Amino acid sequence: MVPGGPPVRDPVNDPPEPVLYMGFLRNVVAAGLMLAATLVCAAADEAELRQLVAKFADANNFQATEAVVRELGATGSPAVEGLLTALSQGSLYVRKADDAIFVGDEVGPDIKLRDPLNGEAVGTVAKAGLTKIKVNNTLRRVIRDALGGLTLGSNDPAVRLAAADTMFKNPDPATIAALDAAIAGEAVDSVKARLEQARASAVLLSDLGEADKMAAIDILSSRADQDSLSQLSRFQASAEGPLRASAAAAVATIDQSLALWQVGQNVWYGISLGSVLLLAAIGLAITFGVMGVINMAHGEMVMLGAYTTFVVQQVIRDTAPGLFDWSLAIALPMAFLVSGAVGLAIERGVIRFLYGRPLETLLATWGVSLILQQAVRTIFGPTNQEVGTPTWMSGSFQLGQLAITWNRLCIVVFCLAVFALLLHVMKRTPWGLQMRAVTQNRRMAASMGIRTPRVDALTFALGSGIAGIAGVALSQIDNVSPNFGQGYIIDSFMVVVFGGVGNLWGTFVGAMSLGILNKFLEPYTGAVLGKIMVLVLIILFIQKRPRGLFALKGRAVEA
Amino acid sequence: MRGHLATWANTVVAGAFAAGISITMPAAADDTIKVGVLHSLSGTMAISETTLKDTMLFLIEEQNKKGGLLGKKLEAVVVDPASDWPLFAEKARQLIEQDKVAAVFGCWTSSSRKSVLPVFEELNGLLFYPVQYEGEESQRNVFYTGAAPNQQAIPAVDYLMSEDGGSVKRWVLAGTDYVYPQTTNKILKAYLESKGVAGEDIMVNYTPFGHSDWQTIVSDIKKFGSAGKKTAVVSTINGDANVPFYKELGNQGVKAEDIPVVAFSVGEEELAGLDTTPLVGHLAAWNYFQSVDAPANAEFIDAWKAYTKNDKRVTNDPMEAHVIGFNMWVKAVEKAATTDPDAVIDAIVGVSVPNLTGGFSTMMPNHHITKPVLIGEIQADGQFETVWETPGLVVGDEWSDYLPDSKSLIADWRAPMSCGNFNVATGKCGGKAGTTN
Amino acid sequence: MISQRFFAAGADRRIAITISILIGVAVIVPTLNIAVAPDSAFHVPSYLVALVGKYLCYALLALALDLVWGFCGILSLGHGAFFALGGYAMGMYLMRQIGDRGVYANPLLPDFMVFLNWKELPWFWHGFDHFWFAALMVMAVPGLLAFVFGWFAFRSRVTGVYLSIITQAMTYALLLAFFRNDMGFGGNNGLTDFKDILGFNVQANTTRSALFAASAATLALGVFVTWRIIGSRYGKLLMAVRDAESRTRFLGWRAENVKLFAFTVSAVMAGIAGALYVPQVGIINPGEFDPANSIEVVVWAAVGGRGTIVGPIIGAVLVNAGKSWFTGALPEFWLFALGGLFIAVTLFLPSGIVGMWDSWQAKRSGRKAAADAADATAVPEMAIAPAAIVRGGRPAAGAAPEPQPAE
């Protein structure tokens, strides 16, 4: 009930009376017809299903729809699989004209209709002529469970695996017989193991004997994950005698192994956060570390990279949707060029007049960052832009008890690749040699014939370009908005300063250790205090080592 | 109970309408009535507030097409407080004192509202505030057209506890660490405990502003949700941090069927920056969705798209709040036949205007409005589909019944009480000293 | 030598003019606001009083920053933190003054504590019901933070960019901390809804005028104090540290103590500026700790001319007046204008408006006294203008500016 408000009446539970009455009447009629049909012609399987499906037209609330779904699921007929899937995706429609049920695919303003059972195309109708059958979460779950039972016999092992998982998570003693049959007929080992686990979880709830339950505990404890832990601990609470003891032992073992995995999980999260920090900071390590430019516009270079990704995806969506999975690969060089070009322009236009006055580059680049932000806001608008994730980067996979998401893994790998490439450029190419020469002794380098202004400009462009490709990667995990860069700039500076200015390895170690430190603090202190503590630790650390983790060695008094 | 039903509202509408036509309008064609628009156009809040500025310009243009107000044209005065809270106060002062605007529509964050409150109180201006907020406030010069906690949070929790919502037994209250989430979560916690939810079944988690690394928290939520009881997340996470949060949810495979997330700050505008396919089924509680099937809404969306010349521009709840607030102000001015703040404050209570969901919203004596509460599920096209709604209208409750110290407070700005924090237990108006003008 | 005395007198004159203008403003503006009829052409609207009062607080903050940046070479990107801490101390006093007039009529607890269910006043809120205590804290809290921070940082010889970044880390950490409701400072909404100060209603015109006068007078005092510091023997040492820290150290001075003193004094000044600012704008919240705000302060000082006393004041007033104008008249262009200003000033006016004026004056007088003008110290305020100085400590790099790796 809503306090201070009127009594809340639930429109779904309490539909207007006449409709309910009508619906009820019709249901009675339909049920009667169906009964008659069954009696008259027991073989008319499809006709029977169609009768059931037709009930959707009268199901005007979620409960009624749910009842129909259950009935359909209970038929065990594989023909309803596609229909139920369509319902859970919200693409099952009632034609207003004759209350017929269809699966529909949206095509612009119209909807292409298919027969719900055999999938034959029926024609196209305007949206206004159809009513969509609404689903909610509860209904989706019911459908999923119903499908779980139906798809146990599927030909595709992956579908069977998913079915086994669903049944594992929703244990029901009534399914033991079906599972036994499925286990007997299963040829694929991994699926078989899952089916056995599903059976074990059902056995714990059933009234089978102690021996069966003991075996079930063994199977579940070998699974050793969070789900089996919660099932076992629930069982432990209700069990007695030796069963209770063995369940308790299993719970303890699982707890222990999960605690270990937890550490691994934190390390992984730390590495993944570290690589985000590294990606954001690595361009800065060049512009700030090598050139001494306090580049406050660095975050905006990252933002430009992210916006380039958005534009590339937009173009691909309009012209060649098939290339979408490649959009990030296409965006990478584009982002490098865009951010690099802007960086070059900034260096030539502003920064080259300020060399030797590092603190003033801070002011000028801060000005540049404001202009870039507002420019992006004017061109693209202030709201978030949608950057899609290619299918191969979505989802996650399990490594033992570690859930590793593909996009994080891709970012870690990508970040290491960028780092390796950059090291290669700095250490193994003539350009890198020139850069280092200019950094170490500018006048000597100039005397040797190196065109120092050109090296400066290219170095700055390189740093900016790297920031741009970082933007491509970061667009996958964060908002693409004009404020995008602001979120990273302070963290990036902390990483570079912590690691030691002018040293790429310092930046690497700095980013990774800050990432891992953050993730180990977070569970104990919460995210907010964790972040504050990391900042305080950096301040304290700088007192101890005023030149960062890996300071450049030199003999000058004020180097 | 201070419950009011739509029927009550209807009589008020009729009355207000009658009052409206009996007014003879003075003709002063060359004169204009100024309307202040106080929304950040730069800085961190521009992302949300710029749309509201456009909405106001649109509404003013529409009103001028209809012949303006009291025979005068309306003129928008747009300023940019640049997401800087003290600048909000400065700009508010400029609008009222220098530009002499008749009313101000603006602010988004509570901080910005708090920062301008003393100015409106001192200079006796009018502020229409269109965003859902934590409540615990009622001020003579401010009209709260967004949702109070009981118009968003509590119905959402009610829904999730119901059979339709999945009979949720275990709750994660996740929010950004600032006043709105803290207060809302306090109210929710008290409410849940009053419904018999054990303390161990509630997990509270706070994150900093703009938090972007959600790995640990999402995996904690997963773990919390695997205890065998149906679990849901109530999210008061602030706008900017939502996108990475939902991306992480999608990637870690947290499905709405298993652990639904109901959010109070995620609307159509926020979803526009997301691929919503993995998020289908997650929930939001608002008083308006773009997808609402009502003639008034369809008309508004068409006009809005025509005005912005952008077919993809979405509409959202705070926009509707401005539409309601603006129409209420127009009606109250017509009723009072003047833009004088005192007259408008007296006239506006009880004014009722159509909202975009097919009903009427009424300005209550506590300066909050009546609204329907809708629960929507995210769809693959970035819109919401309403799965549940309150049949009647809910009155905004400024002083929560679930906080011990505000339980006995009420607000009624009509004479003779004219008080924003009347204590029914002691029979005294608590902060009267502060509301002089 | 003679020229130096002459120009020193010039600088004195400039300081004297500034102080007298400020005191004049402190008297005249409130008078024109209160005593002159609103329809008179000489009436100063309250709107303007509040606005200029705010600028004056910003000017004091910019002056404080200039003391460490312009005269001592420490670029602090965290001065906003000292400003905000001073503001919070004042805000806490004002909150306690509300007493039982808060919305919940709780005589002891501020409103935000009541609705977050706090039962008693946290220990650090005690004492703030006395003005003297709050006034002491306004200076003590920022001063102490600066002292401790500086004690460690200067001793460890954290300099240049590193120092700038850790000051930024400091203000960022404080921003995050003050956002937390559990800190007991009102979370992101901060402290607001003030009723009165020293028994006077903060919203009354007379109170506002008095606060304005107090801001102007305090700024005048700040100018005077800074000028005395700069003119003293210690001031010379300060500039010596800025120009060549190691050389100063080798000569036997404790450079860290020199810096520490300046840093602490500057933080106290920033705190006072914050305390004057809060009752005039009516709110203090963690937004003031935003690192971007501190960077903006640096820009005010740079625009006006760092290493001068008058410069930061001119810069703060001009930039903020520009901000007020742009955000009202051309809201979409405000960031373009501000960004452009940053770039233009650093490129074309490295020593700010005052520096440019001085060099123009110097050129003119240079025609008359070519010999003196050739001396780099010819213009007193230029003598300490830092363009040449940041490069100090290194061998002259020749005419063309060149990049150097960060230190």
Side-chain angles (χ1 to χ4, degrees):
Chain A
M1 227 30 36
V2 180
V8 175
R9 203 176 57 104
D10 184 345
V12 176
N13 285 326
D14 313 337
E17 298 274 323
V19 180
L20 180 73
Y21 183 58
M22 288 291 288
F24 176 72
L25 251 189
R26 272 199 236 170
N27 277 348
V28 169
V29 173
L33 279 177
M34 193 188 78
L35 193 68
T38 333
L39 285 176
V40 172
C41 177
D45 244 8
E46 198 184 317
E48 191 182 320
L49 283 178
R50 283 195 190 280
Q51 291 280 2
L52 272 176
V53 171
K55 284 190 186 177
F56 277 124
D58 303 319
N60 44 23
N61 62 39
F62 291 125
Q63 268 95 1
T65 315
E66 189 182 322
V68 181
V69 171
R70 285 193 193 283
E71 276 187 69
L72 281 173
T75 61
S77 159
V80 299
E81 197 186 315
L83 155 85
L84 287 182
T85 316
L87 177 61
S88 76
Q89 288 163 352
S91 49
L92 201 63
Y93 295 87
V94 182
R95 189 156 63 195
K96 282 178 186 165
D98 57 356
D99 276 2
I101 310 286
F102 296 99
V103 177
D105 306 304
E106 255 176 72
V107 186
D110 297 323
I111 291 174
K112 240 165 121 180
L113 296 182
R114 283 184 285 129
D115 183 272
L117 290 174
N118 55 27
E120 279 167 24
V122 184
T124 308
V125 175
K127 260 184 207 167
L130 298 169
T131 316
K132 183 167 134 184
I133 300 177
K134 282 191 178 186
V135 281
N136 66 0
N137 282 322
T138 318
L139 206 47
R140 271 190 217 102
R141 205 168 46 241
V142 171
I143 295 171
R144 195 180 60 184
D145 294 351
L147 283 175
L150 288 176
T151 51
L152 212 49
S154 161
N155 288 327
D156 183 356
V159 176
R160 293 201 299 275
L161 197 72
D165 273 346
T166 313
M167 297 179 81
F168 172 76
K169 283 184 182 147
N170 308 286
D172 179 2
T175 57
I176 293 179
L179 281 167
D180 277 334
I183 291 168
E186 185 56 63
V188 183
D189 282 344
S190 59
V191 181
K192 193 167 188 167
R194 295 289 179 91
L195 284 169
E196 276 164 358
Q197 286 162 3
R199 181 180 183 276
S201 67
V203 166
L204 285 188
L205 295 181
S206 70
D207 41 16
L208 288 175
E210 199 175 301
D212 282 315
K213 288 191 174 169
M214 276 295 192
I217 291 174
D218 277 349
I219 293 176
L220 284 183
S221 72
S222 69
R223 186 175 157 123
D225 66 351
Q226 198 65 43
D227 290 314
S228 53
L229 177 69
S230 65
Q231 294 197 357
L232 280 170
S233 40
R234 243 176 303 152
F235 175 69
Q236 183 200 344
S238 62
E240 280 160 10
L243 274 177
R244 188 189 180 100
S246 98
V251 166
T253 349
I254 298 179
D255 259 340
Q256 218 169 17
S257 93
L258 281 182
L260 270 180
W261 280 111
Q262 184 63 43
V263 176
Q265 182 97 326
N266 280 341
V267 171
W268 164 250
Y269 287 163
I271 289 175
S272 120
L273 176 62
S275 53
V276 168
L277 289 175
L278 180 57
L279 265 179
I282 199 165
L284 196 68
I286 296 174
T287 51
F288 175 48
V290 178
M291 301 181 71
V293 175
I294 307 182
N295 185 11
M296 288 307 236
H298 174 73
E300 277 58 44
M301 299 296 151
V302 180
M303 174 191 74
L304 286 179
Y307 270 92
T308 310
T309 318
F310 165 71
V311 172
V312 166
Q313 289 200 346
Q314 242 7 52
V315 172
I316 287 180
R317 277 199 188 108
D318 291 345
T319 54
L323 282 177
F324 192 77
D325 273 355
W326 293 94
S327 59
L328 292 189
I330 299 168
L332 277 180
M334 304 289 288
F336 185 83
L337 289 178
V338 169
S339 294
V342 173
L344 194 67
I346 295 173
E347 202 277 344
R348 289 289 87 185
V350 178
I351 290 171
R352 72 176 163 134
F353 304 109
L354 300 173
Y355 283 128
R357 300 186 299 182
L359 296 180
E360 299 197 5
T361 60
L362 182 151
L363 296 183
T365 50
W366 180 254
V368 171
S369 89
L370 293 183
I371 291 178
L372 285 176
Q373 266 179 52
Q374 191 62 20
V376 167
R377 198 170 279 136
T378 311
I379 298 169
F380 294 96
T383 47
N384 287 332
Q385 300 295 345
E386 178 185 341
V387 172
T389 307
T391 45
W392 50 271
M393 266 180 85
S394 315
S396 61
F397 67 96
Q398 286 282 331
L399 187 78
Q401 295 309 316
L402 288 185
I404 294 180
T405 54
W406 281 108
N407 68 345
R408 294 277 173 181
L409 184 68
C410 289
I411 286 175
V412 172
V413 170
F414 177 71
C415 162
L416 294 178
V418 169
F419 184 74
L421 187 74
L422 203 58
L423 269 188
H424 177 81
V425 168
M426 294 291 282
K427 297 274 162 79
R428 295 269 183 275
T429 63
W431 181 27
L433 186 68
Q434 291 186 358
M435 252 192 272
R436 284 181 295 141
V438 171
T439 309
Q440 281 165 13
N441 194 329
R442 165 170 303 271
R443 294 164 101 196
M444 181 68 84
S447 331
M448 304 302 279
I450 296 174
R451 288 156 65 191
T452 52
R454 188 166 160 270
V455 172
D456 290 338
L458 288 179
T459 311
F460 196 84
L462 174 72
S464 304
I466 299 275
I469 59 175
V472 177
L474 297 183
S475 72
Q476 289 301 309
I477 54 168
D478 210 340
N479 290 307
V480 179
S481 75
N483 305 330
F484 187 78
Q486 292 291 298
Y488 290 101
I489 185 73
I490 292 182
D491 286 340
S492 303
F493 269 103
M494 296 304 151
V495 165
V496 176
V497 165
F498 177 72
V501 173
N503 188 325
L504 285 181
W505 279 107
T507 308
F508 181 82
V509 176
M512 288 301 165
S513 38
L514 287 184
I516 293 176
L517 180 67
N518 220 322
K519 283 296 159 188
F520 271 90
L521 280 176
E522 199 178 307
Y524 304 103
T525 59
V528 189
L529 262 188
K531 195 152 188 194
I532 296 174
M533 284 171 75
V534 168
L535 286 170
V536 172
L537 281 174
I538 292 176
I539 295 178
L540 293 178
F541 181 83
I542 292 294
Q543 315 292 338
K544 188 77 195 143
R545 292 188 70 111
R547 292 286 173 271
L549 210 48
F550 292 83
L552 281 184
K553 290 193 180 67
R555 290 190 186 174
V557 190
E558 286 183 347
Chain B
M1 288 303 275
R2 278 165 289 141
H4 298 269
L5 285 170
T7 46
W8 187 86
N10 282 334
T11 47
V12 178
V13 182
F17 187 64
I21 33 176
S22 64
I23 289 161
T24 47
M25 297 193 181
D30 54 344
D31 210 351
T32 59
I33 296 175
K34 287 183 179 172
V35 178
V37 180
L38 184 64
H39 283 300
S40 300
L41 310 177
S42 55
T44 45
M45 290 315 296
I47 189 168
S48 310
E49 293 192 56
T50 310
T51 311
L52 292 184
K53 177 213 67 175
D54 294 339
T55 311
M56 282 317 298
L57 294 181
F58 163 67
L59 288 171
I60 289 168
E61 192 185 290
E62 294 282 300
Q63 186 66 29
N64 281 337
K65 274 188 210 157
K66 285 188 238 162
L69 184 59
L70 301 182
K72 297 178 189 175
K73 287 274 178 229
L74 292 177
E75 182 192 340
V77 183
V78 178
V79 292
D80 175 19
S83 313
D84 176 4
W85 317 142
L87 200 55
F88 266 91
E90 181 192 316
K91 291 290 152 196
R93 191 172 284 278
Q94 181 196 329
L95 284 174
I96 305 173
E97 208 164 335
Q98 214 182 34
D99 296 320
K100 311 238 179 294
V101 297
V104 177
F105 292 79
C107 297
W108 181 288
T109 60
S110 280
S111 325
S112 60
R113 189 190 68 251
K114 291 270 185 207
S115 135
V116 300
L117 275 187
V119 178
F120 279 91
E121 199 171 274
E122 178 194 340
L123 304 174
N124 198 22
L126 296 178
L127 172 69
F128 287 83
Y129 175 68
V131 184
Q132 82 280 10
Y133 82 117
E134 65 270 12
E136 302 303 299
E137 190 181 298
S138 178
Q139 217 271 354
R140 182 171 174 269
N141 303 81
V142 184
F143 300 97
Y144 307 82
T145 53
N150 74 315
Q151 288 174 313
Q152 216 185 1
I154 288 179
V157 168
D158 277 335
Y159 169 72
L160 286 171
M161 281 197 286
S162 75
E163 203 178 317
D164 262 335
S167 317
V168 173
K169 299 275 182 286
R170 222 165 136 82
W171 303 85
V172 180
L173 309 179
T176 305
D177 193 358
Y178 72 108
V179 174
Y180 168 67
Q182 290 260 9
T183 317
T184 308
N185 287 347
K186 268 220 153 79
I187 293 173
L188 284 181
K189 210 167 166 204
Y191 182 69
L192 288 173
E193 278 164 3
S194 79
K195 293 274 171 183
V197 177
E200 71 201 34
D201 283 335
I202 302 175
M203 166 177 149
V204 184
N205 182 291
Y206 290 110
T207 40
F209 265 92
H211 191 63
S212 61
D213 194 276
W214 290 93
Q215 302 179 84
T216 312
I217 290 158
V218 170
S219 88
D220 283 351
I221 289 173
K222 264 169 88 173
K223 204 190 290 171
F224 188 77
S226 64
K229 286 183 189 166
K230 178 71 185 169
T231 306
V233 180
V234 178
S235 152
T236 37
I237 295 164
N238 178 267
D240 246 9
N242 272 304
V243 173
F245 174 60
Y246 278 107
K247 282 189 177 171
E248 192 68 38
L249 278 181
N251 281 323
Q252 291 207 20
V254 175
K255 295 231 169 61
E257 294 101 289
D258 303 315
I259 305 179
V261 177
V262 59
F264 306 141
S265 326
V266 176
E268 288 83 352
E269 194 104 332
E270 283 75 18
L271 290 184
L274 267 175
D275 172 19
T276 52
T277 335
L279 304 179
V280 170
H282 286 306
L283 304 145
W286 288 107
N287 311 105
Y288 165 84
F289 289 118
Q290 185 179 353
S291 65
V292 164
D293 191 14
N297 188 30
E299 200 179 302
F300 174 73
I301 292 171
D302 285 345
W304 169 246
K305 283 181 175 167
Y307 173 78
T308 56
K309 300 187 186 66
N310 181 350
D311 211 30
K312 289 194 180 118
R313 272 303 270 270
V314 291
T315 58
N316 64 15
D317 182 272
M319 281 174 67
E320 193 224 12
H322 258 342
V323 172
I324 296 173
F326 180 76
N327 289 334
M328 281 180 169
W329 174 73
V330 166
K331 226 164 180 176
V333 168
E334 281 168 354
K335 188 169 146 192
T338 167
T339 56
D340 176 60
D342 289 324
V344 173
I345 290 172
D346 286 340
I348 201 167
V349 172
V351 160
S352 192
V353 298
N355 56 32
L356 297 181
T357 47
F360 282 87
S361 283
T362 310
M363 179 61 71
M364 303 311 290
N366 61 3
H367 285 189
H368 289 62
I369 67 172
T370 59
K371 296 179 145 211
V373 184
L374 315 177
I375 312 279
E377 284 187 357
I378 298 175
Q379 302 296 300
D381 59 357
Q383 290 289 332
F384 291 90
E385 187 172 279
T386 313
V387 290
W388 185 84
E389 66 177 290
T390 50
L393 297 171
V394 181
V395 179
D397 185 20
E398 71 293 8
W399 302 109
S400 174
D401 300 347
Y402 295 94
L403 294 177
D405 286 283
S406 63
K407 231 187 285 187
S408 50
L409 295 182
I410 59 162
D412 189 336
W413 287 107
R414 291 172 299 188
M417 185 186 270
S418 195
C419 174
N421 51 352
F422 185 83
N423 194 323
V424 285
T426 62
K428 276 193 200 134
C429 181
K432 202 146 204 170
T435 54
T436 49
N437 31 235
Chain C
M1 286 305 111
I2 295 171
S3 70
Q4 264 188 342
R5 278 250 303 277
F6 170 76
F7 280 106
D12 284 354
R13 207 177 61 201
R14 185 179 287 169
I15 303 298
I17 292 173
T18 312
I19 292 179
S20 23
I21 289 178
L22 284 172
I23 292 178
V25 164
V27 176
I28 296 167
V29 170
T31 318
L32 291 182
N33 174 240
I34 300 169
V36 177
D39 48 359
S40 155
F42 293 104
H43 176 74
V44 175
S46 315
Y47 162 65
L48 219 58
V49 175
L51 202 61
V52 178
K54 200 170 95 170
Y55 295 167
L56 290 178
C57 297
Y58 286 150
L60 185 56
L61 173 61
L63 182 65
L65 177 80
D66 194 46
L67 177 62
V68 287
W69 185 34
F71 294 104
C72 192
I74 307 167
L75 176 57
S76 162
L77 296 181
H79 252 54
F82 303 128
F83 180 78
L85 285 174
Y88 263 100
M90 179 55 98
M92 284 160 81
Y93 162 73
L94 294 170
M95 286 307 269
R96 294 297 305 273
Q97 290 304 299
I98 297 173
D100 60 1
R101 285 168 295 170
V103 291
Y104 303 102
N106 187 314
L108 189 62
L109 298 183
D111 287 342
F112 69 89
M113 291 189 191
V114 178
F115 79 70
L116 290 175
N117 268 340
W118 292 43
K119 292 294 167 238
E120 55 189 273
L121 206 61
W123 59 269
F124 47 82
W125 274 80
H126 288 287
F128 276 95
D129 42 344
H130 306 293
F131 183 77
W132 64 267
F133 182 80
L136 187 69
M137 285 299 133
V138 160
M139 294 185 270
V141 172
L144 203 64
L145 175 66
F147 184 80
V148 173
F149 190 90
W151 173 272
F152 286 112
F154 299 141
R155 225 144 246 275
S156 319
R157 300 192 191 172
V158 181
T159 50
V161 175
Y162 289 88
L163 190 76
S164 303
I165 299 290
I166 62 168
T167 50
Q168 189 175 40
M170 175 190 77
T171 189
Y172 188 48
L174 283 169
L175 167 78
L176 292 173
F178 274 74
F179 257 124
R180 305 182 64 234
N181 279 299
D182 299 342
M183 281 286 284
F185 294 104
N188 69 318
N189 281 356
L191 310 177
T192 181
D193 201 21
F194 308 134
K195 306 285 188 222
D196 45 36
I197 176 168
L198 290 170
F200 301 100
N201 182 358
V202 280
Q203 293 183 353
N205 254 352
T206 44
T207 319
R208 188 158 283 138
S209 291
L211 282 167
F212 176 89
S215 308
T218 316
L219 181 57
L221 187 69
V223 169
F224 181 74
V225 168
T226 316
W227 172 63
R228 292 301 299 178
I229 292 179
I230 302 308
S232 69
R233 213 167 80 93
Y234 168 78
K236 301 277 177 289
L237 206 51
L238 209 59
M239 282 174 261
V241 169
R242 172 190 68 186
D243 295 348
E245 186 175 337
S246 329
R247 250 178 268 178
T248 318
R249 192 174 282 129
F250 295 157
L251 287 171
W253 302 101
R254 300 289 294 268
E256 59 270 24
N257 291 353
V258 175
K259 287 187 190 174
L260 186 58
F261 176 75
F263 196 58
T264 312
V265 169
S266 160
V268 170
M269 275 167 69
I272 295 173
L276 286 165
Y277 170 84
V278 167
Q280 297 189 63
V281 299
I283 185 169
I284 174 78
N285 66 26
E288 298 298 333
F289 286 105
D290 191 338
N293 282 11
S294 296
I295 294 178
E296 227 175 276
V297 180
V298 174
V299 175
W300 303 338
V303 168
R306 71 186 143 113
T308 69
I309 290 177
V310 185
I313 299 174
I314 295 178
V317 173
L318 276 185
V319 175
N320 280 296
K323 188 173 188 171
S324 294
W325 184 77
F326 262 107
T327 48
L330 292 168
E332 320 268 345
F333 291 97
W334 159 237
L335 284 185
F336 286 127
L338 186 66
L341 182 71
F342 280 29
I343 298 173
V345 164
T346 40
L347 285 186
F348 306 118
L349 293 178
S351 41
I353 295 170
V354 172
M356 190 185 64
W357 169 259
D358 282 338
S359 59
W360 181 65
Q361 290 277 309
K363 245 182 235 162
R364 244 177 35 160
S365 64
R367 282 188 217 115
K368 281 186 278 179
D372 285 346
D375 185 355
T377 58
V379 185
E381 302 256 294
M382 272 298 278
I384 38 182
I389 292 143
V390 180
R391 257 176 274 162
R394 293 178 183 285
E402 291 175 341
Q404 291 157 355
E407 300 163 23

